[in-house]
Amino acid sequence: MAAGGDRSPDAAGSPLADRLNYLFTTMHPPGAPYTNAYVAEEISGGEEYGGVSLTEQYLSMLRNGRRTNPSPDVLRALARFFAVPVGYLLGDLSPSQAERVEEEVRFLVAMRDKRVRSIALRSVGLPPEVQDSLTTIISQFRQQMNLPPEPPGTNGAGEADGSGGPDGEATNGRR
């Protein structure tokens, strides 16, 4: 699941609260994580969210588990904001589907790093055997630095399909 200080979506509490907290902790532009106030304001002020009115206080209650049954419109708006399927927030996905969403979230987080993007983009167009050589070189550096062969949660890196967000949409890039 989540690496480092990130809280795993299934750690404790309501599944919705856990997943929301995971997204808040993980899915944000470089800098600081989103605040409840920011997300509520963006959703409430954006036509792309279906005219949903969301308050900072209600979002806080969803995140701390005091409210666990938001309207379908609120769930759709939150899923759209974080570019994840609504089923992920509902807990309707199979464990493998939920893991796929979380894997794509981790990929998007890694791609926030300008240097990581630069390395990935520079390999585009190179023959597969050259890309394999680059992967070997990176693995050797990871080993020399006592890092695991693959970054946590990548399940073999390089499997990303380039489709953008977990539901095929590009992320919104907002703070």
Side-chain angles (χ1 to χ4, degrees):
M1 295 276 164
D6 295 343
R7 189 170 142 191
S8 169
D10 296 317
S14 83
L16 175 61
D18 291 339
R19 287 183 171 94
L20 278 174
N21 286 321
Y22 175 74
L23 292 172
F24 267 85
T25 301
T26 310
M27 284 291 288
H28 56 81
Y34 291 122
T35 64
N36 291 338
Y38 178 81
V39 173
E41 183 179 314
E42 284 294 306
I43 288 174
S44 296
E47 288 181 28
E48 68 267 30
Y49 301 108
V52 168
S53 178
L54 185 62
T55 66
E56 175 183 357
Q57 294 78 14
Y58 185 67
L59 187 51
S60 175
M61 288 188 279
L62 290 173
R63 290 186 65 194
N64 67 29
R66 281 194 239 144
R67 295 285 187 268
T68 58
N69 194 20
S71 74
D73 290 339
V74 167
L75 284 172
R76 276 192 293 275
L78 287 165
R80 179 171 282 250
F81 182 87
F82 287 109
V84 297
V86 175
Y88 175 73
L89 292 177
L90 288 170
D92 285 348
L93 302 181
S94 70
S96 65
Q97 290 170 320
E99 178 56 35
R100 175 71 176 150
V101 170
E102 292 161 10
E103 185 176 311
E104 290 183 15
V105 166
R106 288 187 295 271
F107 171 77
L108 292 172
V109 168
M111 293 309 290
R112 274 191 240 150
D113 185 319
K114 184 170 64 171
R115 292 169 294 202
V116 171
R117 274 193 319 273
S118 176
I119 291 167
L121 291 172
R122 287 176 184 196
S123 72
V124 171
L126 295 174
E129 58 275 5
V130 174
Q131 291 178 351
D132 291 342
S133 294
L134 290 172
T135 300
T136 300
I137 292 166
I138 291 170
S139 294
Q140 290 170 346
F141 276 115
R142 292 185 66 81
Q143 183 178 20
Q144 287 174 359
M145 300 184 80
N146 295 320
L147 295 170
E150 300 290 339
T154 59
N155 295 340
E159 295 177 11
D161 62 9
S163 63
D167 58 358
E169 296 178 11
T171 57
N172 61 22
R174 292 188 193 122
R175 287 186 86 191

Tab-separated table of all heavy atoms in Angstrom, residues 61-98:
chain	number	residue	atom	x	y	z
A	61	MET	N	-15.759	15.868	8.374
A	61	MET	CA	-16.514	14.763	8.976
A	61	MET	C	-16.395	13.487	8.140
A	61	MET	O	-16.334	12.384	8.692
A	61	MET	CB	-17.972	15.153	9.179
A	61	MET	CG	-18.174	16.156	10.295
A	61	MET	SD	-19.907	16.444	10.701
A	61	MET	CE	-20.363	17.595	9.412
A	62	LEU	N	-16.354	13.618	6.820
A	62	LEU	CA	-16.153	12.444	5.970
A	62	LEU	C	-14.769	11.850	6.202
A	62	LEU	O	-14.605	10.628	6.278
A	62	LEU	CB	-16.308	12.815	4.488
A	62	LEU	CG	-17.699	13.152	4.008
A	62	LEU	CD1	-17.664	13.659	2.570
A	62	LEU	CD2	-18.626	11.945	4.131
A	63	ARG	N	-13.783	12.721	6.353
A	63	ARG	CA	-12.407	12.255	6.531
A	63	ARG	C	-12.148	11.648	7.899
A	63	ARG	O	-11.280	10.789	8.045
A	63	ARG	CB	-11.425	13.401	6.288
A	63	ARG	CG	-11.371	13.808	4.818
A	63	ARG	CD	-10.316	14.832	4.561
A	63	ARG	NE	-8.987	14.276	4.803
A	63	ARG	CZ	-7.897	15.005	4.925
A	63	ARG	NH1	-7.956	16.331	4.845
A	63	ARG	NH2	-6.731	14.433	5.135
A	64	ASN	N	-12.884	12.085	8.927
A	64	ASN	CA	-12.650	11.504	10.245
A	64	ASN	C	-13.647	10.403	10.585
A	64	ASN	O	-13.633	9.873	11.690
A	64	ASN	CB	-12.578	12.576	11.334
A	64	ASN	CG	-13.890	13.282	11.567
A	64	ASN	OD1	-14.957	12.722	11.368
A	64	ASN	ND2	-13.814	14.534	11.992
A	65	GLY	N	-14.519	10.062	9.637
A	65	GLY	CA	-15.436	8.946	9.825
A	65	GLY	C	-16.715	9.274	10.558
A	65	GLY	O	-17.518	8.380	10.819
A	66	ARG	N	-16.931	10.541	10.902
A	66	ARG	CA	-18.185	10.904	11.578
A	66	ARG	C	-19.371	10.884	10.628
A	66	ARG	O	-20.499	10.746	11.062
A	66	ARG	CB	-18.064	12.276	12.235
A	66	ARG	CG	-17.314	12.204	13.548
A	66	ARG	CD	-17.489	13.474	14.343
A	66	ARG	NE	-16.154	14.013	14.566
A	66	ARG	CZ	-15.843	15.277	14.591
A	66	ARG	NH1	-16.765	16.191	14.415
A	66	ARG	NH2	-14.605	15.656	14.793
A	67	ARG	N	-19.109	11.062	9.358
A	67	ARG	CA	-20.129	10.918	8.313
A	67	ARG	C	-19.598	9.883	7.341
A	67	ARG	O	-18.456	9.974	6.885
A	67	ARG	CB	-20.390	12.231	7.570
A	67	ARG	CG	-20.985	13.307	8.432
A	67	ARG	CD	-22.477	13.001	8.682
A	67	ARG	NE	-23.129	14.092	9.382
A	67	ARG	CZ	-23.243	14.183	10.705
A	67	ARG	NH1	-22.722	13.260	11.474
A	67	ARG	NH2	-23.873	15.184	11.256
A	68	THR	N	-20.432	8.886	7.020
A	68	THR	CA	-19.945	7.794	6.180
A	68	THR	C	-20.824	7.529	4.962
A	68	THR	O	-20.537	6.618	4.198
A	68	THR	CB	-19.853	6.488	6.996
A	68	THR	OG1	-21.141	6.198	7.527
A	68	THR	CG2	-18.828	6.612	8.119
A	69	ASN	N	-21.881	8.311	4.791
A	69	ASN	CA	-22.801	8.028	3.696
A	69	ASN	C	-23.136	9.296	2.912
A	69	ASN	O	-24.273	9.745	2.911
A	69	ASN	CB	-24.071	7.384	4.262
A	69	ASN	CG	-24.919	6.754	3.189
A	69	ASN	OD1	-24.432	6.462	2.108
A	69	ASN	ND2	-26.182	6.553	3.487
A	70	PRO	N	-22.153	9.860	2.215
A	70	PRO	CA	-22.422	11.071	1.444
A	70	PRO	C	-23.309	10.759	0.238
A	70	PRO	O	-23.427	9.597	-0.177
A	70	PRO	CB	-21.038	11.535	0.996
A	70	PRO	CG	-20.237	10.298	0.961
A	70	PRO	CD	-20.761	9.418	2.069
A	71	SER	N	-23.889	11.784	-0.322
A	71	SER	CA	-24.736	11.597	-1.506
A	71	SER	C	-23.890	11.125	-2.680
A	71	SER	O	-22.672	11.362	-2.723
A	71	SER	CB	-25.423	12.918	-1.863
A	71	SER	OG	-24.493	13.803	-2.448
A	72	PRO	N	-24.532	10.469	-3.640
A	72	PRO	CA	-23.793	10.064	-4.844
A	72	PRO	C	-23.131	11.249	-5.550
A	72	PRO	O	-22.035	11.107	-6.097
A	72	PRO	CB	-24.866	9.426	-5.728
A	72	PRO	CG	-25.913	8.957	-4.770
A	72	PRO	CD	-25.905	9.969	-3.658
A	73	ASP	N	-23.774	12.419	-5.519
A	73	ASP	CA	-23.187	13.600	-6.157
A	73	ASP	C	-21.882	14.016	-5.481
A	73	ASP	O	-20.919	14.384	-6.152
A	73	ASP	CB	-24.172	14.775	-6.142
A	73	ASP	CG	-25.354	14.557	-7.073
A	73	ASP	OD1	-25.243	13.734	-8.009
A	73	ASP	OD2	-26.386	15.211	-6.867
A	74	VAL	N	-21.848	13.964	-4.161
A	74	VAL	CA	-20.633	14.316	-3.425
A	74	VAL	C	-19.530	13.308	-3.741
A	74	VAL	O	-18.376	13.681	-3.987
A	74	VAL	CB	-20.899	14.408	-1.906
A	74	VAL	CG1	-19.601	14.461	-1.108
A	74	VAL	CG2	-21.769	15.615	-1.587
A	75	LEU	N	-19.883	12.032	-3.758
A	75	LEU	CA	-18.886	11.004	-4.084
A	75	LEU	C	-18.346	11.188	-5.500
A	75	LEU	O	-17.133	11.088	-5.724
A	75	LEU	CB	-19.488	9.608	-3.935
A	75	LEU	CG	-19.656	9.122	-2.507
A	75	LEU	CD1	-20.439	7.824	-2.484
A	75	LEU	CD2	-18.311	8.942	-1.838
A	76	ARG	N	-19.228	11.471	-6.448
A	76	ARG	CA	-18.780	11.688	-7.827
A	76	ARG	C	-17.845	12.898	-7.912
A	76	ARG	O	-16.834	12.870	-8.601
A	76	ARG	CB	-19.976	11.880	-8.764
A	76	ARG	CG	-20.573	10.578	-9.259
A	76	ARG	CD	-21.551	10.802	-10.407
A	76	ARG	NE	-22.747	11.511	-10.002
A	76	ARG	CZ	-23.813	10.939	-9.474
A	76	ARG	NH1	-23.841	9.637	-9.282
A	76	ARG	NH2	-24.865	11.657	-9.136
A	77	ALA	N	-18.206	13.960	-7.184
A	77	ALA	CA	-17.370	15.171	-7.210
A	77	ALA	C	-15.994	14.897	-6.608
A	77	ALA	O	-14.973	15.324	-7.164
A	77	ALA	CB	-18.075	16.308	-6.474
A	78	LEU	N	-15.950	14.209	-5.497
A	78	LEU	CA	-14.660	13.882	-4.874
A	78	LEU	C	-13.834	12.967	-5.774
A	78	LEU	O	-12.621	13.163	-5.930
A	78	LEU	CB	-14.874	13.236	-3.505
A	78	LEU	CG	-15.329	14.181	-2.398
A	78	LEU	CD1	-15.854	13.396	-1.191
A	78	LEU	CD2	-14.192	15.110	-1.990
A	79	ALA	N	-14.483	11.972	-6.376
A	79	ALA	CA	-13.771	11.067	-7.279
A	79	ALA	C	-13.224	11.840	-8.477
A	79	ALA	O	-12.077	11.630	-8.888
A	79	ALA	CB	-14.701	9.945	-7.742
A	80	ARG	N	-14.009	12.753	-9.009
A	80	ARG	CA	-13.547	13.549	-10.151
A	80	ARG	C	-12.374	14.437	-9.731
A	80	ARG	O	-11.395	14.556	-10.453
A	80	ARG	CB	-14.673	14.410	-10.700
A	80	ARG	CG	-14.221	15.269	-11.870
A	80	ARG	CD	-15.402	15.928	-12.520
A	80	ARG	NE	-16.060	14.957	-13.360
A	80	ARG	CZ	-16.052	14.998	-14.681
A	80	ARG	NH1	-15.456	15.985	-15.295
A	80	ARG	NH2	-16.656	14.080	-15.380
A	81	PHE	N	-12.483	15.068	-8.571
A	81	PHE	CA	-11.409	15.942	-8.102
A	81	PHE	C	-10.086	15.179	-8.018
A	81	PHE	O	-9.045	15.665	-8.448
A	81	PHE	CB	-11.758	16.556	-6.744
A	81	PHE	CG	-10.703	17.494	-6.245
A	81	PHE	CD1	-10.711	18.826	-6.610
A	81	PHE	CD2	-9.679	17.037	-5.426
A	81	PHE	CE1	-9.705	19.691	-6.181
A	81	PHE	CE2	-8.679	17.902	-4.983
A	81	PHE	CZ	-8.697	19.229	-5.364
A	82	PHE	N	-10.133	13.974	-7.446
A	82	PHE	CA	-8.911	13.200	-7.250
A	82	PHE	C	-8.602	12.275	-8.434
A	82	PHE	O	-7.612	11.539	-8.404
A	82	PHE	CB	-8.989	12.386	-5.962
A	82	PHE	CG	-8.854	13.224	-4.728
A	82	PHE	CD1	-9.943	13.452	-3.904
A	82	PHE	CD2	-7.647	13.806	-4.386
A	82	PHE	CE1	-9.822	14.231	-2.761
A	82	PHE	CE2	-7.503	14.583	-3.252
A	82	PHE	CZ	-8.606	14.799	-2.433
A	83	ALA	N	-9.444	12.301	-9.472
A	83	ALA	CA	-9.235	11.492	-10.681
A	83	ALA	C	-9.143	10.003	-10.381
A	83	ALA	O	-8.237	9.302	-10.842
A	83	ALA	CB	-8.010	11.979	-11.455
A	84	VAL	N	-10.081	9.528	-9.557
A	84	VAL	CA	-10.188	8.099	-9.262
A	84	VAL	C	-11.616	7.658	-9.562
A	84	VAL	O	-12.532	8.476	-9.577
A	84	VAL	CB	-9.828	7.771	-7.790
A	84	VAL	CG1	-8.379	8.107	-7.488
A	84	VAL	CG2	-10.768	8.444	-6.811
A	85	PRO	N	-11.823	6.362	-9.776
A	85	PRO	CA	-13.195	5.886	-9.981
A	85	PRO	C	-14.029	6.039	-8.710
A	85	PRO	O	-13.514	5.883	-7.596
A	85	PRO	CB	-13.020	4.406	-10.313
A	85	PRO	CG	-11.569	4.196	-10.571
A	85	PRO	CD	-10.832	5.306	-9.915
A	86	VAL	N	-15.308	6.316	-8.874
A	86	VAL	CA	-16.211	6.440	-7.720
A	86	VAL	C	-16.209	5.143	-6.918
A	86	VAL	O	-16.245	5.158	-5.687
A	86	VAL	CB	-17.646	6.796	-8.169
A	86	VAL	CG1	-18.605	6.803	-6.992
A	86	VAL	CG2	-17.672	8.134	-8.872
A	87	GLY	N	-16.123	4.023	-7.604
A	87	GLY	CA	-16.102	2.729	-6.922
A	87	GLY	C	-14.960	2.596	-5.931
A	87	GLY	O	-15.059	1.870	-4.950
A	88	TYR	N	-13.867	3.307	-6.166
A	88	TYR	CA	-12.747	3.274	-5.225
A	88	TYR	C	-13.172	3.895	-3.897
A	88	TYR	O	-12.905	3.338	-2.827
A	88	TYR	CB	-11.532	3.998	-5.798
A	88	TYR	CG	-10.389	4.095	-4.820
A	88	TYR	CD1	-9.628	2.977	-4.515
A	88	TYR	CD2	-10.091	5.295	-4.185
A	88	TYR	CE1	-8.588	3.047	-3.595
A	88	TYR	CE2	-9.048	5.372	-3.270
A	88	TYR	CZ	-8.311	4.247	-2.979
A	88	TYR	OH	-7.290	4.324	-2.066
A	89	LEU	N	-13.859	5.036	-3.963
A	89	LEU	CA	-14.306	5.687	-2.725
A	89	LEU	C	-15.390	4.869	-2.025
A	89	LEU	O	-15.457	4.827	-0.804
A	89	LEU	CB	-14.814	7.095	-3.016
A	89	LEU	CG	-13.756	8.094	-3.461
A	89	LEU	CD1	-14.396	9.430	-3.798
A	89	LEU	CD2	-12.685	8.263	-2.406
A	90	LEU	N	-16.247	4.242	-2.809
A	90	LEU	CA	-17.325	3.431	-2.242
A	90	LEU	C	-16.826	2.120	-1.653
A	90	LEU	O	-17.526	1.490	-0.868
A	90	LEU	CB	-18.371	3.115	-3.319
A	90	LEU	CG	-19.247	4.249	-3.773
A	90	LEU	CD1	-20.055	3.837	-4.993
A	90	LEU	CD2	-20.168	4.673	-2.646
A	91	GLY	N	-15.654	1.685	-2.075
A	91	GLY	CA	-15.169	0.377	-1.654
A	91	GLY	C	-15.776	-0.731	-2.488
A	91	GLY	O	-15.776	-1.885	-2.088
A	92	ASP	N	-16.305	-0.368	-3.673
A	92	ASP	CA	-16.956	-1.345	-4.543
A	92	ASP	C	-15.990	-2.094	-5.448
A	92	ASP	O	-16.400	-2.999	-6.157
A	92	ASP	CB	-18.000	-0.648	-5.440
A	92	ASP	CG	-19.257	-0.276	-4.680
A	92	ASP	OD1	-19.429	-0.734	-3.542
A	92	ASP	OD2	-20.063	0.483	-5.243
A	93	LEU	N	-14.732	-1.714	-5.457
A	93	LEU	CA	-13.768	-2.377	-6.328
A	93	LEU	C	-13.228	-3.628	-5.654
A	93	LEU	O	-13.148	-3.710	-4.428
A	93	LEU	CB	-12.609	-1.432	-6.650
A	93	LEU	CG	-12.949	-0.106	-7.318
A	93	LEU	CD1	-11.676	0.690	-7.578
A	93	LEU	CD2	-13.722	-0.315	-8.601
A	94	SER	N	-12.850	-4.584	-6.465
A	94	SER	CA	-12.191	-5.777	-5.926
A	94	SER	C	-10.847	-5.342	-5.352
A	94	SER	O	-10.336	-4.271	-5.702
A	94	SER	CB	-11.980	-6.805	-7.040
A	94	SER	OG	-10.988	-6.350	-7.941
A	95	PRO	N	-10.259	-6.162	-4.500
A	95	PRO	CA	-8.940	-5.797	-3.966
A	95	PRO	C	-7.912	-5.531	-5.069
A	95	PRO	O	-7.118	-4.598	-4.962
A	95	PRO	CB	-8.551	-7.001	-3.117
A	95	PRO	CG	-9.858	-7.583	-2.683
A	95	PRO	CD	-10.782	-7.376	-3.863
A	96	SER	N	-7.935	-6.318	-6.142
A	96	SER	CA	-6.960	-6.086	-7.213
A	96	SER	C	-7.258	-4.789	-7.956
A	96	SER	O	-6.331	-4.087	-8.361
A	96	SER	CB	-6.919	-7.274	-8.175
A	96	SER	OG	-8.155	-7.410	-8.857
A	97	GLN	N	-8.532	-4.446	-8.132
A	97	GLN	CA	-8.876	-3.176	-8.782
A	97	GLN	C	-8.468	-1.993	-7.904
A	97	GLN	O	-7.937	-0.999	-8.402
A	97	GLN	CB	-10.371	-3.105	-9.082
A	97	GLN	CG	-10.828	-4.048	-10.172
A	97	GLN	CD	-12.341	-4.114	-10.256
A	97	GLN	OE1	-13.044	-4.120	-9.249
A	97	GLN	NE2	-12.846	-4.180	-11.482
A	98	ALA	N	-8.722	-2.095	-6.601
A	98	ALA	CA	-8.337	-1.018	-5.679
A	98	ALA	C	-6.823	-0.859	-5.662
A	98	ALA	O	-6.310	0.268	-5.659
A	98	ALA	CB	-8.869	-1.304	-4.275
